[in-house]
């Protein structure tokens, strides 16, 4: 029986980030499950020459894309490289510059973002994918993370949460809310039980 160790960053209600290096993830989850958490996956991406985090948006609703663009471009460290209505558009356009963070909706109307997530990761590597969804389906979120997404943000959450999630994912952390963290811990408990 081996303990799963990871670096955890816990976000308190005032949105200050505090980091606890290399702790037992099960013990952490048992004591801190009530707060959103991010789990360090690997080292941060290298910064661009401009120091900006390059983000792209894959979202089927034009008004949501416009609002996301305004929100992201109001952040002094971020810029939007491009946006598409479908993941297929992003995959079929050879001229798109690889972003550092891709915001991907799971429900893109005519296609499922989850189905195209591995292809997006392959085409835009080493970019990271952050799921932005209205679907409150923990199993879909878990499937997205298992397919390579670096985290999930629900559309009902505050705009500041999305900005913080983008920064965390860009820095090499996985953004997991409490319900997703519970599901991950449940899976981890099942796989490490005797």
């Amino acid at each position: 029986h081996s303990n799963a160790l990871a670096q955890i960053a816990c976000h308190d209600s005032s949105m200050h980030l505090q980091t606890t290096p290399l702790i037992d993830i099960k013990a952490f989850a048992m004591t801190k499950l009530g707060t959103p958490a991010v789990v360090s996956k690997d080292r941060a991406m290298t910064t661009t020459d401009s120091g900006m985090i390059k983000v792209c948006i894959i979202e089927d609703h034009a008004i949501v894309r416009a609002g996301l663009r305004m929100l992201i471009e109001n952040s002094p460290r971020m810029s939007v490289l491009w946006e598409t209505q479908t993941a297929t558009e992003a995959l079929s356009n050879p001229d798109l510059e690889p972003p550092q963070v891709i915001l991907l909706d799971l429900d893109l109307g005519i296609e499922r973002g989850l189905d195209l997530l591995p292809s997006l990761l392959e085409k835009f590597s080493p970019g990271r994918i952050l799921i932005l969804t209205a679907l409150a389906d923990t199993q879909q979120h878990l499937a997205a993370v298992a397919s390579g997404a670096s985290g999930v943000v629900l559309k009902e959450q505050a705009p500041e949460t999305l900005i913080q999630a983008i920064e965390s994912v860009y820095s090499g952390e996985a953004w997991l809310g409490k319900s997703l963290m519970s599901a991950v811990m449940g899976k981890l408990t099942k796989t490490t039980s005797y």
Side-chain angles (χ1 to χ4, degrees):
H1 178 76
S2 64
N3 286 335
L5 297 177
Q7 181 174 337
I8 304 286
C10 182
H11 301 275
D12 65 18
S13 59
S14 61
M15 300 305 285
H16 295 288
L17 182 67
Q18 86 190 73
T19 301
T20 307
L22 296 178
I23 61 170
D24 184 315
I25 195 167
K26 286 184 186 178
F28 174 83
M30 298 307 165
T31 60
K32 296 285 189 180
L33 208 50
T35 61
V38 290
V39 181
S40 178
K41 290 175 76 173
D42 51 68
R43 292 179 20 219
M45 298 181 73
T46 57
T47 56
T48 62
D49 292 336
S50 67
M52 300 291 278
I53 301 171
K54 295 179 180 180
V55 180
C56 77
I57 302 165
I58 303 176
E59 161 65 53
D60 60 323
H61 295 99
I63 197 162
V64 174
R65 285 194 311 273
L68 289 170
R69 178 179 282 278
M70 287 183 354
L71 175 67
I72 292 165
E73 292 187 343
N74 273 335
S75 175
R77 291 196 56 225
M78 297 178 194
S79 66
V80 175
L81 281 181
W82 48 266
E83 58 186 67
T84 63
Q85 186 173 351
T86 67
T88 302
E89 287 177 53
L91 291 169
S92 63
N93 187 338
D95 299 324
L96 295 179
E97 182 181 341
Q100 292 159 319
V101 177
I102 298 169
L103 292 182
L104 175 65
D105 191 357
L106 285 179
D107 181 7
L108 293 167
I110 60 171
E111 64 188 21
R112 287 177 5 121
L114 183 58
D115 295 336
L116 297 167
L117 197 151
S119 298
L120 289 166
L121 283 169
E122 184 178 326
K123 178 174 180 175
F124 296 111
S125 179
R128 296 187 171 96
I129 295 182
L130 180 62
I131 301 299
L132 179 64
T133 185
L135 300 174
D137 182 343
T138 303
Q139 293 307 312
Q140 289 280 340
H141 302 169
L142 193 56
V145 171
S147 295
S150 294
V152 178
V153 175
L154 295 177
K155 288 180 179 176
E156 67 189 33
Q157 292 180 295
E160 298 79 24
T161 301
L162 177 60
I163 295 301
Q164 191 171 24
I166 292 170
E167 290 174 344
S168 292
V169 165
Y170 168 80
S171 296
E173 298 174 334
W175 185 269
L176 306 174
K178 66 180 179 178
S179 63
L180 185 54
M181 188 67 173
S182 294
V184 169
M185 298 316 303
K187 293 277 188 191
L188 184 59
T189 300
K190 287 178 186 175
T191 60
T192 59
S193 296
Y194 292 97

